[in-house]
Amino acid sequence: MRSVIPDYLVEALRDVEPDGSGEQAGYIPELAAADPERLGAVFATVQGEVYGAGDIDTEFTIQSISKPFTYALALTDRGFDPVLAKVGVEPSGEAFNQISLEGDTGRPLNPMINAGAITAHSLAGPEGLSPAERVERVIHGLSAFAGRRLRTDEAVCVSEMEHAHRNLAIAHMLRSHDVLTEDPRTVVEGYTRQCSVLVTARDLAMMAATLANRGVNPLSGEQVVPGPVVRQVLSVMFTCGMYDAAGDWATQVGIPAKSGVAGGLIGALPGQIGIATFSPRLDPHGNSVRGVSLFERFSSDMGMHLMGVPAAARAVVRANHVLGSGPDALRVLQLQGGIGFAGAERVVREAVNSAPPEVRVAMDLTMVYSIDDVARRMLLEVARRLTLDGHDVYLVDPESILPDPDPGDGGRVTVVDIVEQAMPSPHTVETSPLKRNVL
Ligand code: GLN
């Protein structure tokens, strides 16, 4: 059977193909000369599966799509505080090349506009690197996100540098506020080289998938940047990635995203996929016209809006029933799915509202596939309080989905592999070799 996803992508491209509106970026002559008809789209899953249609292996310059990744490198290399001291996280509502800084501090408003991105470039790598070493750190880092060694397009780099008056003006302003501490021209040269890194839509989808996968490249398995950095980067992409169209984007598409003036556009759907599109004609905000249409379509066709609320929390308690009878009866709370705060709250409520009359109580985690840390602590606290109320508490957890099951402070939990081991039959409980640990 042919996969349905490439066919869907082909159909989506066919729908947007006739739209010839928009213009290529005119302020970088080399970009104005690019083929405007190119069109491609790629989905890369967090498992590393890649689906594409159209021009997915054509190289073009990454431009502003480098910004979230360089910001990630700066946060990783310098730590949050030094970077936040120099670049804010507030949406500017202005164009990407606006010459604007925060009034009192001179900080750029966010790392997605040029002022913030030029500053973030200056913060990549450890302190004291030469400009060339810093560029190498950035290209090396972008390559790790993509999973292959990337190179720059010298012609585009030179072409942009010849017309970089605005970025130079911004850099001089940053220097006057001591946000930049080096020669402004040198930093702009490094930033421009960063923007001239050549990528394909396939590369960009993999880079986005690395963000969607908590910083781990799905193919190479490399942890490129730590999880907390990814959270910061995705948050900033969500609020600032589309410049002065960020609000429209957040409401209509709802995927953390970043565009570039060469026509690339990426989106990262946490835990699911990285998406990239390529189509060079831009709208007045500098975002790819057909790329934006494709993302609008993907979001609504595939339910990808991040604020589209899944109906998961209620279903965490799959069953609440009693096995056996009399003093041997066992109350079983059978849980399922992925349990976060809301799911754990549902379990707490179940335990509080219908205080079980049975002495034995089991929480059956056999059908649970993940428990986050707050849910883990809440379930253990339920176990602790049940113990204090006189219950014998069991966790049915054959795959140790709940690590370190110690409820602490007077709590006691017996971990078993199957629910029958929580029953008082001497054959199953006392002699069973499967009974594992008692805390
Ligand atoms: N290199 C471009 C610039 O600094 C990047 C802008 C963009 O892609 N939006 O103007």
Side-chain angles (χ1 to χ4, degrees):
M1 188 184 88
R2 272 165 61 88
S3 169
V4 297
I5 300 167
D7 291 351
Y8 166 78
L9 290 173
V10 167
E11 198 185 306
L13 292 190
R14 205 179 295 139
D15 278 0
V16 303
E17 196 168 3
D19 185 352
S21 64
E23 304 272 343
Q24 282 136 283
Y27 73 103
I28 304 176
E30 276 289 318
L31 291 186
D35 177 1
E37 299 307 330
R38 295 285 191 187
L39 181 61
V42 181
F43 286 178
T45 71
V46 293
Q47 276 102 42
E49 203 59 43
V50 174
Y51 301 99
D55 298 311
I56 66 171
D57 291 309
T58 306
E59 287 193 315
F60 54 95
T61 51
I62 189 168
Q63 299 299 338
S64 285
I65 303 170
S66 63
K67 291 171 180 174
F69 299 101
T70 305
Y71 182 51
L73 298 176
L75 290 167
T76 304
D77 295 342
R78 299 285 178 103
F80 277 62
D81 288 347
V83 175
L84 287 168
K86 295 210 164 189
V87 187
V89 289
E90 295 305 329
S92 69
E94 290 173 343
F96 68 88
N97 57 2
Q98 192 65 31
I99 305 185
S100 66
L101 303 177
E102 211 173 64
D104 43 346
T105 60
R107 276 194 323 172
L109 285 161
N110 68 69
M112 301 295 117
I113 54 171
N114 288 9
I118 291 168
T119 309
H121 176 87
S122 79
L123 296 170
E127 233 170 309
L129 288 189
S130 72
E133 287 170 332
R134 187 178 306 130
V135 168
E136 175 47 32
R137 163 62 183 139
V138 169
I139 295 176
H140 185 269
L142 297 181
S143 301
F145 274 108
R148 74 170 180 109
R149 176 70 194 181
L150 302 173
R151 62 195 173 92
T152 57
D153 183 324
E154 282 308 301
V156 172
C157 184
V158 169
S159 172
E160 176 165 4
M161 209 47 220
E162 275 168 9
H163 299 84
H165 308 298
R166 266 190 102 85
N167 284 340
L168 286 166
I170 290 170
H172 278 284
M173 264 178 37
L174 291 167
R175 179 72 191 85
S176 78
H177 286 280
D178 281 328
V179 174
L180 287 185
T181 50
E182 299 165 46
D183 172 41
R185 171 170 280 274
T186 309
V187 181
V188 171
E189 274 168 4
Y191 160 78
T192 306
R193 180 141 287 132
Q194 165 193 318
C195 289
S196 75
V197 164
L198 283 166
V199 287
T200 64
R202 184 194 294 274
D203 292 326
L204 288 180
M206 197 52 70
M207 294 173 84
T210 302
L211 291 178
N213 196 34
R214 299 185 187 200
V216 176
N217 181 298
L219 285 183
S220 71
E222 183 185 349
Q223 179 89 51
V224 182
V225 292
V229 165
V230 171
R231 192 180 75 174
Q232 175 82 1
V233 170
L234 289 174
S235 307
V236 172
M237 284 168 69
F238 195 75
T239 50
C240 313
M242 301 301 276
Y243 314 119
D244 40 343
D248 270 347
W249 183 269
T251 50
Q252 282 166 34
V253 179
I255 300 173
K258 189 72 205 78
S259 62
V261 286
L265 182 51
I266 63 163
L269 207 60
Q272 296 195 51
I273 61 169
I275 304 172
T277 60
F278 172 45
S279 172
R281 280 186 291 259
L282 309 178
D283 66 18
H285 304 290
N287 300 327
S288 165
V289 173
R290 296 190 294 189
V292 170
S293 301
L294 283 169
F295 268 84
E296 283 172 353
R297 210 190 135 133
F298 296 155
S299 175
S300 71
D301 288 354
M302 313 270 199
M304 288 175 174
H305 198 298
L306 220 56
M307 302 299 167
V309 182
R314 273 187 60 207
V316 160
V317 181
R318 180 184 169 87
N320 179 349
H321 58 254
V322 178
L323 293 179
S325 56
D328 288 352
L330 172 72
R331 165 74 51 176
V332 181
L333 283 178
Q334 192 183 33
L335 312 183
Q336 66 179 2
I339 310 185
F341 171 77
E345 184 276 339
R346 186 71 191 80
V347 179
V348 170
R349 195 147 34 95
E350 196 77 16
V352 171
N353 285 356
S354 50
E358 300 77 18
V359 173
R360 293 163 180 274
V361 179
M363 286 193 266
D364 184 352
L365 307 182
T366 314
M367 299 182 76
V368 172
Y369 60 78
S370 74
I371 296 183
D372 73 10
D373 190 53
V374 65
R376 175 185 157 276
R377 286 183 279 127
M378 286 167 74
L379 294 190
L380 288 174
E381 182 59 16
V382 167
R384 191 180 76 86
R385 293 187 185 198
L386 285 169
T387 317
L388 295 181
D389 286 350
H391 295 279
D392 294 338
V393 186
Y394 296 83
L395 270 187
V396 185
D397 189 10
E399 288 175 23
S400 303
I401 203 86
L402 193 149
D404 190 17
D406 179 1
D409 269 349
R412 188 165 176 280
V413 150
T414 305
V415 181
V416 294
D417 283 340
I418 51 174
V419 78
E420 285 72 20
Q421 290 171 339
M423 304 287 287
S425 151
H427 306 291
T428 51
V429 174
E430 258 124 63
T431 63
S432 169
L434 285 174
K435 189 172 173 201
R436 289 208 315 256
N437 43 352
V438 178
L439 292 161

